[in-house]
Amino acid sequence: MTDTQSPLGSNFAATRNAPPMPPPPPPTPTLSTQRQATQTLDMSGYKNSNHPPTEVLPPPPPTGVPVASHRPGTPPPIPQTASIKSHNSGLTLAQIIKEAYDQGYSDVHLGVGEVPRFRNRGEIQKTEYPETDKEIFMSWVREVLTEAEIQRFEEYLEFDGATQYDFARVRINIFGSLKGPAMVLRLIPLKILTMEQLRLPAVFRDVCHHHKGLILVTGPTGSGKSTTMAAMIDYINKEMAKHIITIEDPIEFVHQSQKSLIKQREVGMHTRKFDNALKAALREDPDLILVGEMRDKETVNTALKAAQTGHLVMGTLHTNSAVKTIERILNLYSAEEQDSMRVAVSESLVAVIAQGLCRTTDGKRAAFHDILINTDAIKEWIKDGKYDEIGELMKQAGFDGMITMNQSLLNLYQEGRITEETALEMSPTPNEMAQFLRGRV
């Protein structure tokens, strides 16, 4: 029996029976023979199960597990041997992801020395699976990563990527921790929900009809920014004849060209840096450029330049409110640059949409928003740096489509979709929210 040493130090041994050759004992199967055996297992009996399935031993088990397709541009992952399954009662990564998908969970958390966990409507939920050891963890990694990607993780100690099953797309992040390697998997539906299904305000559609300028969708991690932007891109794709270029890390929602032509690029696979791809996009005849994340000054500079030269640019930032988003952008620049950049932002901005998610009374989640529309009055206050006045105007400019997070939470409360406690908990200013709830404002 030949042991195969992984780049991360785990030994994997194949247990496939080699073809019988007299006299006994039979010869040890070669490594290439081991790698030809595919890891398949019927999942039909494990839907909605909270317990690991019963182990299936060679001879070859029945087929049926959805197999993740390898990432474009890289060699397909090395097939796994049956011996890997025996360390955790036949549990594969595909089965864990399928269970999460069937139960409506958003994330899967796996790590050496930890029990697998799911994120259920914003809360981490423990499972009854056994604690994960390094060998089974590496078998899961090898289901979705190639050897080259594993070596890249070993070099940088972090890995970002994505893979796709026949029922969902999965964003992958693998990282080192005190107990050993760990990974978080974000489940991304293959079907893109419409703005109506997401109950987004009507002003979102109005924003999509702009031909140039900068649209920012902001919020903390896990606030649904990608889902909202995907719905907006999908609306444009169906209704308008445009050329759309997306620059993402990694690609999450996959769009198919309809009335619009869509080209999606992934940082690290189709381009080296956000800024490089954004500069190149200006020479690719785009109507709309989506930047997955505006991380630095260079990317913001290029995005503003694109917005000023007749393109519609959409991007994301990790900020909690519309006004703070403007401050965050301007704080990237020195004091000497502030005045000119305030003018550039005021002239380029179309809208800022800050978003959060809260648990609803029916156990689901709903989005609430802080929406800033760049009207003439807002432009003047951005140029003058009067951010407090901008916040006050947003409360009174509902006819322009503006709304504050407290007003959005109050609407959800009045519709019976969230409780008073949830409204206070999610509010950026709980004192004002309390006054809203008591009818004092």
Side-chain angles (χ1 to χ4, degrees):
M1 188 67 67
T2 300
D3 290 343
T4 305
Q5 180 69 35
S6 82
L8 294 184
S10 298
N11 292 320
F12 300 103
T15 60
R16 293 279 188 186
N17 293 326
M21 292 181 62
T28 302
T30 64
L31 178 60
S32 60
T33 303
Q34 296 171 9
R35 286 182 170 176
Q36 290 172 0
T38 57
Q39 178 178 279
T40 54
L41 188 66
D42 186 11
M43 292 186 59
S44 59
Y46 309 130
K47 184 175 181 181
N48 299 329
S49 172
N50 290 321
H51 303 279
T54 303
E55 180 180 3
V56 178
L57 298 173
T63 59
V65 170
V67 178
S69 57
H70 70 276
R71 304 168 75 228
T74 62
I78 299 172
Q80 300 303 294
T81 57
S83 65
I84 292 173
K85 298 187 296 180
S86 66
H87 293 284
N88 207 348
S89 299
L91 185 65
T92 66
L93 184 64
Q95 291 170 345
I96 296 174
I97 294 172
K98 186 63 165 64
E99 179 180 342
Y101 172 80
D102 289 339
Q103 298 289 353
Y105 301 143
S106 60
D107 299 85
V108 178
H109 291 253
L110 306 169
V112 173
E114 298 285 353
V115 172
R117 297 172 190 252
F118 298 126
R119 184 172 289 278
N120 180 15
R121 310 295 180 186
E123 297 181 359
I124 293 292
Q125 178 174 301
K126 197 173 181 180
T127 68
E128 297 181 10
Y129 292 125
E131 187 177 289
T132 303
D133 60 29
K134 192 167 186 178
E135 188 166 1
I136 188 63
F137 180 87
M138 286 307 304
S139 76
W140 293 339
V141 169
R142 288 174 182 274
E143 286 187 46
V144 290
L145 264 62
T146 65
E147 286 295 336
E149 290 169 335
I150 293 175
Q151 290 173 7
R152 196 160 82 218
F153 165 67
E154 183 184 35
E155 180 180 355
Y156 295 103
L157 301 180
E158 290 171 323
F159 177 85
D160 274 311
T163 191
Q164 188 160 321
Y165 295 83
D166 59 1
F167 54 89
R169 188 167 174 81
V170 179
R171 191 181 73 194
I172 306 166
N173 180 269
I174 307 177
F175 56 98
S177 70
L178 183 63
K179 291 186 176 182
M183 65 176 156
V184 178
L185 308 169
R186 168 66 56 85
L187 274 65
I188 302 165
L190 296 181
K191 181 181 178 182
I192 300 172
L193 296 178
T194 65
M195 288 192 278
E196 289 77 17
Q197 290 171 321
L198 294 173
R199 297 192 181 187
L200 299 180
V203 70
F204 280 64
R205 285 187 292 278
D206 299 336
V207 165
C208 291
H209 283 275
H210 281 260
H211 297 290
K212 64 179 181 178
L214 181 63
I215 300 171
L216 298 174
V217 180
T218 75
T221 301
S223 60
K225 299 186 298 295
S226 297
T227 302
T228 294
M229 291 184 72
M232 296 173 75
I233 294 294
D234 185 61
Y235 173 77
I236 295 171
N237 185 22
K238 292 175 179 176
E239 300 294 331
M240 307 172 206
K242 294 182 179 291
H243 181 205
I244 302 170
I245 297 176
T246 75
I247 307 164
E248 304 170 74
D249 183 20
I251 292 172
E252 296 188 344
F253 291 91
V254 176
H255 298 267
Q256 302 296 331
S257 297
Q258 298 185 46
K259 194 168 185 179
S260 291
L261 172 64
I262 297 187
K263 300 289 179 59
Q264 295 184 261
R265 306 188 68 195
E266 181 169 318
V267 176
M269 183 184 298
H270 310 122
T271 183
R272 298 298 181 192
K273 294 171 56 181
F274 272 110
D275 187 45
N276 293 351
L278 188 50
K279 288 177 180 176
L282 299 179
R283 300 186 291 272
E284 293 161 3
D285 188 32
D287 296 294
L288 189 160
I289 306 171
L290 184 147
V291 184
E293 189 174 343
M294 297 171 65
R295 298 175 174 176
D296 50 42
K297 181 178 176 180
E298 289 74 21
T299 305
V300 171
N301 275 338
T302 310
L304 286 171
K305 178 182 176 182
Q308 291 172 328
T309 54
H311 303 91
L312 185 62
V313 180
M314 296 177 65
T316 66
L317 284 170
H318 289 91
T319 51
N320 296 324
S321 74
V323 174
K324 286 181 181 178
T325 300
I326 298 173
E327 294 181 15
R328 170 79 175 275
I329 290 175
L330 294 174
N331 285 338
L332 293 172
Y333 299 89
S334 64
E336 294 77 16
E337 299 172 302
Q338 288 278 326
D339 289 342
S340 61
M341 291 314 303
R342 277 199 295 267
V343 173
V345 171
S346 67
E347 295 297 333
S348 304
L349 193 66
V350 172
V352 181
I353 301 165
Q355 178 169 305
L357 288 179
C358 60
R359 184 182 285 264
T360 56
T361 52
D362 60 359
K364 298 180 181 179
R365 289 200 288 177
F368 57 95
H369 302 96
D370 205 42
I371 302 175
L372 170 65
I373 305 298
N374 193 21
T375 62
D376 290 338
I378 297 294
K379 284 182 182 178
E380 293 303 317
W381 281 337
I382 291 176
K383 290 177 184 178
D384 297 337
K386 297 180 178 179
Y387 305 124
D388 291 338
E389 284 85 344
I390 293 174
E392 289 301 316
L393 178 60
M394 288 173 62
K395 299 176 185 178
Q396 305 164 20
F399 53 90
D400 287 320
M402 296 193 228
I403 194 171
T404 67
M405 281 193 172
N406 277 350
Q407 290 173 330
S408 184
L409 287 166
L410 181 63
N411 290 341
L412 291 174
Y413 171 73
Q414 291 175 338
E415 292 169 7
R417 299 183 64 197
I418 64 173
T419 63
E420 181 176 329
E421 291 75 15
T422 299
L424 290 169
E425 178 186 351
M426 303 306 298
S427 170
T429 52
N431 288 339
E432 183 186 62
M433 190 73 243
Q435 293 179 340
F436 278 3
L437 294 171
R438 296 187 182 102
R440 296 178 181 175
V441 177

